[in-house]
mmCIF file with all atom_site columns, all heavy atoms in Angstrom:
data_model
loop_
_atom_site.group_PDB
_atom_site.id
_atom_site.type_symbol
_atom_site.label_atom_id
_atom_site.label_alt_id
_atom_site.label_comp_id
_atom_site.label_asym_id
_atom_site.label_entity_id
_atom_site.label_seq_id
_atom_site.pdbx_PDB_ins_code
_atom_site.Cartn_x
_atom_site.Cartn_y
_atom_site.Cartn_z
_atom_site.occupancy
_atom_site.B_iso_or_equiv
_atom_site.pdbx_formal_charge
_atom_site.auth_seq_id
_atom_site.auth_comp_id
_atom_site.auth_asym_id
_atom_site.auth_atom_id
_atom_site.pdbx_PDB_model_num
ATOM 1   N N   . ARG A 1 66 ? 95.852  341.951 108.849 1.00 0.00 ? 275 ARG A N   1
ATOM 2   C CA  . ARG A 1 66 ? 95.007  341.665 110.000 1.00 0.00 ? 275 ARG A CA  1
ATOM 3   C C   . ARG A 1 66 ? 94.960  342.847 110.965 1.00 0.00 ? 275 ARG A C   1
ATOM 4   O O   . ARG A 1 66 ? 93.927  343.080 111.618 1.00 0.00 ? 275 ARG A O   1
ATOM 5   C CB  . ARG A 1 66 ? 95.493  340.390 110.700 1.00 0.00 ? 275 ARG A CB  1
ATOM 6   C CG  . ARG A 1 66 ? 95.193  339.130 109.894 1.00 0.00 ? 275 ARG A CG  1
ATOM 7   C CD  . ARG A 1 66 ? 95.718  337.874 110.550 1.00 0.00 ? 275 ARG A CD  1
ATOM 8   N NE  . ARG A 1 66 ? 95.468  336.710 109.719 1.00 0.00 ? 275 ARG A NE  1
ATOM 9   C CZ  . ARG A 1 66 ? 94.348  335.980 109.726 1.00 0.00 ? 275 ARG A CZ  1
ATOM 10  N NH1 . ARG A 1 66 ? 93.364  336.299 110.552 1.00 0.00 ? 275 ARG A NH1 1
ATOM 11  N NH2 . ARG A 1 66 ? 94.214  334.944 108.927 1.00 0.00 ? 275 ARG A NH2 1
ATOM 12  N N   . GLU A 1 67 ? 96.051  343.585 111.053 1.00 0.00 ? 276 GLU A N   1
ATOM 13  C CA  . GLU A 1 67 ? 96.042  344.790 111.886 1.00 0.00 ? 276 GLU A CA  1
ATOM 14  C C   . GLU A 1 67 ? 95.046  345.830 111.362 1.00 0.00 ? 276 GLU A C   1
ATOM 15  O O   . GLU A 1 67 ? 94.621  346.716 112.099 1.00 0.00 ? 276 GLU A O   1
ATOM 16  C CB  . GLU A 1 67 ? 97.442  345.402 111.932 1.00 0.00 ? 276 GLU A CB  1
ATOM 17  C CG  . GLU A 1 67 ? 98.447  344.578 112.730 1.00 0.00 ? 276 GLU A CG  1
ATOM 18  C CD  . GLU A 1 67 ? 99.870  345.084 112.555 1.00 0.00 ? 276 GLU A CD  1
ATOM 19  O OE1 . GLU A 1 67 ? 100.059 346.075 111.799 1.00 0.00 ? 276 GLU A OE1 1
ATOM 20  O OE2 . GLU A 1 67 ? 100.792 344.493 113.154 1.00 0.00 ? 276 GLU A OE2 1
ATOM 21  N N   . ARG A 1 68 ? 94.674  345.687 110.089 1.00 0.00 ? 277 ARG A N   1
ATOM 22  C CA  . ARG A 1 68 ? 93.767  346.638 109.448 1.00 0.00 ? 277 ARG A CA  1
ATOM 23  C C   . ARG A 1 68 ? 92.392  346.022 109.201 1.00 0.00 ? 277 ARG A C   1
ATOM 24  O O   . ARG A 1 68 ? 91.617  346.520 108.393 1.00 0.00 ? 277 ARG A O   1
ATOM 25  C CB  . ARG A 1 68 ? 94.389  347.126 108.140 1.00 0.00 ? 277 ARG A CB  1
ATOM 26  C CG  . ARG A 1 68 ? 95.645  347.985 108.365 1.00 0.00 ? 277 ARG A CG  1
ATOM 27  C CD  . ARG A 1 68 ? 96.573  347.970 107.168 1.00 0.00 ? 277 ARG A CD  1
ATOM 28  N NE  . ARG A 1 68 ? 97.715  348.861 107.364 1.00 0.00 ? 277 ARG A NE  1
ATOM 29  C CZ  . ARG A 1 68 ? 98.799  348.555 108.067 1.00 0.00 ? 277 ARG A CZ  1
ATOM 30  N NH1 . ARG A 1 68 ? 98.892  347.367 108.667 1.00 0.00 ? 277 ARG A NH1 1
ATOM 31  N NH2 . ARG A 1 68 ? 99.789  349.420 108.183 1.00 0.00 ? 277 ARG A NH2 1
ATOM 32  N N   . GLY A 1 69 ? 92.119  344.921 109.847 1.00 0.00 ? 278 GLY A N   1
ATOM 33  C CA  . GLY A 1 69 ? 90.808  344.289 109.728 1.00 0.00 ? 278 GLY A CA  1
ATOM 34  C C   . GLY A 1 69 ? 90.630  343.454 108.485 1.00 0.00 ? 278 GLY A C   1
ATOM 35  O O   . GLY A 1 69 ? 89.511  343.063 108.145 1.00 0.00 ? 278 GLY A O   1
ATOM 36  N N   . SER A 1 70 ? 91.710  343.140 107.799 1.00 0.00 ? 279 SER A N   1
ATOM 37  C CA  . SER A 1 70 ? 91.665  342.327 106.596 1.00 0.00 ? 279 SER A CA  1
ATOM 38  C C   . SER A 1 70 ? 92.480  341.065 106.830 1.00 0.00 ? 279 SER A C   1
ATOM 39  O O   . SER A 1 70 ? 92.861  340.755 107.963 1.00 0.00 ? 279 SER A O   1
ATOM 40  C CB  . SER A 1 70 ? 92.197  343.136 105.402 1.00 0.00 ? 279 SER A CB  1
ATOM 41  O OG  . SER A 1 70 ? 92.091  342.401 104.201 1.00 0.00 ? 279 SER A OG  1
ATOM 42  N N   . ARG A 1 71 ? 92.760  340.318 105.785 1.00 0.00 ? 280 ARG A N   1
ATOM 43  C CA  . ARG A 1 71 ? 93.614  339.136 105.891 1.00 0.00 ? 280 ARG A CA  1
ATOM 44  C C   . ARG A 1 71 ? 94.032  338.697 104.498 1.00 0.00 ? 280 ARG A C   1
ATOM 45  O O   . ARG A 1 71 ? 93.489  339.155 103.498 1.00 0.00 ? 280 ARG A O   1
ATOM 46  C CB  . ARG A 1 71 ? 92.901  337.994 106.611 1.00 0.00 ? 280 ARG A CB  1
ATOM 47  C CG  . ARG A 1 71 ? 91.716  337.422 105.840 1.00 0.00 ? 280 ARG A CG  1
ATOM 48  C CD  . ARG A 1 71 ? 91.013  336.321 106.611 1.00 0.00 ? 280 ARG A CD  1
ATOM 49  N NE  . ARG A 1 71 ? 90.399  336.832 107.834 1.00 0.00 ? 280 ARG A NE  1
ATOM 50  C CZ  . ARG A 1 71 ? 89.591  336.108 108.602 1.00 0.00 ? 280 ARG A CZ  1
ATOM 51  N NH1 . ARG A 1 71 ? 89.313  334.847 108.267 1.00 0.00 ? 280 ARG A NH1 1
ATOM 52  N NH2 . ARG A 1 71 ? 89.047  336.632 109.689 1.00 0.00 ? 280 ARG A NH2 1
ATOM 53  N N   . LEU A 1 72 ? 94.994  337.797 104.455 1.00 0.00 ? 281 LEU A N   1
ATOM 54  C CA  . LEU A 1 72 ? 95.483  337.278 103.185 1.00 0.00 ? 281 LEU A CA  1
ATOM 55  C C   . LEU A 1 72 ? 94.943  335.871 102.972 1.00 0.00 ? 281 LEU A C   1
ATOM 56  O O   . LEU A 1 72 ? 95.094  335.004 103.830 1.00 0.00 ? 281 LEU A O   1
ATOM 57  C CB  . LEU A 1 72 ? 97.014  337.258 103.185 1.00 0.00 ? 281 LEU A CB  1
ATOM 58  C CG  . LEU A 1 72 ? 97.719  336.785 101.909 1.00 0.00 ? 281 LEU A CG  1
ATOM 59  C CD1 . LEU A 1 72 ? 97.368  337.675 100.728 1.00 0.00 ? 281 LEU A CD1 1
ATOM 60  C CD2 . LEU A 1 72 ? 99.225  336.748 102.128 1.00 0.00 ? 281 LEU A CD2 1
ATOM 61  N N   . VAL A 1 73 ? 94.315  335.648 101.830 1.00 0.00 ? 282 VAL A N   1
ATOM 62  C CA  . VAL A 1 73 ? 93.801  334.334 101.469 1.00 0.00 ? 282 VAL A CA  1
ATOM 63  C C   . VAL A 1 73 ? 94.856  333.614 100.638 1.00 0.00 ? 282 VAL A C   1
ATOM 64  O O   . VAL A 1 73 ? 95.403  334.176 99.683  1.00 0.00 ? 282 VAL A O   1
ATOM 65  C CB  . VAL A 1 73 ? 92.484  334.456 100.679 1.00 0.00 ? 282 VAL A CB  1
ATOM 66  C CG1 . VAL A 1 73 ? 92.032  333.088 100.166 1.00 0.00 ? 282 VAL A CG1 1
ATOM 67  C CG2 . VAL A 1 73 ? 91.408  335.091 101.554 1.00 0.00 ? 282 VAL A CG2 1
ATOM 68  N N   . LEU A 1 74 ? 95.140  332.376 101.004 1.00 0.00 ? 283 LEU A N   1
ATOM 69  C CA  . LEU A 1 74 ? 96.146  331.582 100.322 1.00 0.00 ? 283 LEU A CA  1
ATOM 70  C C   . LEU A 1 74 ? 95.498  330.399 99.616  1.00 0.00 ? 283 LEU A C   1
ATOM 71  O O   . LEU A 1 74 ? 94.682  329.683 100.203 1.00 0.00 ? 283 LEU A O   1
ATOM 72  C CB  . LEU A 1 74 ? 97.183  331.057 101.319 1.00 0.00 ? 283 LEU A CB  1
ATOM 73  C CG  . LEU A 1 74 ? 97.932  332.101 102.152 1.00 0.00 ? 283 LEU A CG  1
ATOM 74  C CD1 . LEU A 1 74 ? 98.844  331.405 103.164 1.00 0.00 ? 283 LEU A CD1 1
ATOM 75  C CD2 . LEU A 1 74 ? 98.744  333.041 101.265 1.00 0.00 ? 283 LEU A CD2 1
ATOM 76  N N   . ARG A 1 75 ? 95.835  330.211 98.364  1.00 0.00 ? 284 ARG A N   1
ATOM 77  C CA  . ARG A 1 75 ? 95.378  329.054 97.600  1.00 0.00 ? 284 ARG A CA  1
ATOM 78  C C   . ARG A 1 75 ? 96.565  328.468 96.839  1.00 0.00 ? 284 ARG A C   1
ATOM 79  O O   . ARG A 1 75 ? 97.503  329.179 96.491  1.00 0.00 ? 284 ARG A O   1
ATOM 80  C CB  . ARG A 1 75 ? 94.274  329.441 96.610  1.00 0.00 ? 284 ARG A CB  1
ATOM 81  C CG  . ARG A 1 75 ? 92.969  329.928 97.264  1.00 0.00 ? 284 ARG A CG  1
ATOM 82  C CD  . ARG A 1 75 ? 92.225  328.785 97.918  1.00 0.00 ? 284 ARG A CD  1
ATOM 83  N NE  . ARG A 1 75 ? 91.021  329.218 98.595  1.00 0.00 ? 284 ARG A NE  1
ATOM 84  C CZ  . ARG A 1 75 ? 89.791  329.213 98.035  1.00 0.00 ? 284 ARG A CZ  1
ATOM 85  N NH1 . ARG A 1 75 ? 89.639  328.804 96.788  1.00 0.00 ? 284 ARG A NH1 1
ATOM 86  N NH2 . ARG A 1 75 ? 88.759  329.608 98.723  1.00 0.00 ? 284 ARG A NH2 1
ATOM 87  N N   . ARG A 1 76 ? 96.484  327.198 96.535  1.00 0.00 ? 285 ARG A N   1
ATOM 88  C CA  . ARG A 1 76 ? 97.565  326.522 95.805  1.00 0.00 ? 285 ARG A CA  1
ATOM 89  C C   . ARG A 1 76 ? 96.986  325.776 94.621  1.00 0.00 ? 285 ARG A C   1
ATOM 90  O O   . ARG A 1 76 ? 95.958  325.106 94.738  1.00 0.00 ? 285 ARG A O   1
ATOM 91  C CB  . ARG A 1 76 ? 98.300  325.547 96.727  1.00 0.00 ? 285 ARG A CB  1
ATOM 92  C CG  . ARG A 1 76 ? 99.532  324.910 96.108  1.00 0.00 ? 285 ARG A CG  1
ATOM 93  C CD  . ARG A 1 76 ? 100.333 324.147 97.134  1.00 0.00 ? 285 ARG A CD  1
ATOM 94  N NE  . ARG A 1 76 ? 101.676 323.852 96.649  1.00 0.00 ? 285 ARG A NE  1
ATOM 95  C CZ  . ARG A 1 76 ? 102.668 323.422 97.404  1.00 0.00 ? 285 ARG A CZ  1
ATOM 96  N NH1 . ARG A 1 76 ? 102.475 323.234 98.706  1.00 0.00 ? 285 ARG A NH1 1
ATOM 97  N NH2 . ARG A 1 76 ? 103.858 323.174 96.891  1.00 0.00 ? 285 ARG A NH2 1
ATOM 98  N N   . GLY A 1 77 ? 97.648  325.901 93.471  1.00 0.00 ? 286 GLY A N   1
ATOM 99  C CA  . GLY A 1 77 ? 97.175  325.236 92.264  1.00 0.00 ? 286 GLY A CA  1
ATOM 100 C C   . GLY A 1 77 ? 97.322  326.151 91.061  1.00 0.00 ? 286 GLY A C   1
ATOM 101 O O   . GLY A 1 77 ? 98.032  327.155 91.105  1.00 0.00 ? 286 GLY A O   1
ATOM 102 N N   . ASP A 1 78 ? 96.648  325.794 89.977  1.00 0.00 ? 287 ASP A N   1
ATOM 103 C CA  . ASP A 1 78 ? 96.680  326.635 88.787  1.00 0.00 ? 287 ASP A CA  1
ATOM 104 C C   . ASP A 1 78 ? 96.057  327.993 89.107  1.00 0.00 ? 287 ASP A C   1
ATOM 105 O O   . ASP A 1 78 ? 94.921  328.076 89.586  1.00 0.00 ? 287 ASP A O   1
ATOM 106 C CB  . ASP A 1 78 ? 95.895  325.963 87.653  1.00 0.00 ? 287 ASP A CB  1
ATOM 107 C CG  . ASP A 1 78 ? 95.885  326.801 86.397  1.00 0.00 ? 287 ASP A CG  1
ATOM 108 O OD1 . ASP A 1 78 ? 96.816  326.662 85.585  1.00 0.00 ? 287 ASP A OD1 1
ATOM 109 O OD2 . ASP A 1 78 ? 94.959  327.626 86.250  1.00 0.00 ? 287 ASP A OD2 1
#
Side-chain angles (χ1 to χ4, degrees):
R275 288 178 183 273
E276 290 170 0
R277 293 155 176 81
S279 184
R280 67 182 65 172
L281 182 61
V282 174
L283 302 176
R284 295 288 177 94
R285 186 170 196 167
D287 179 88

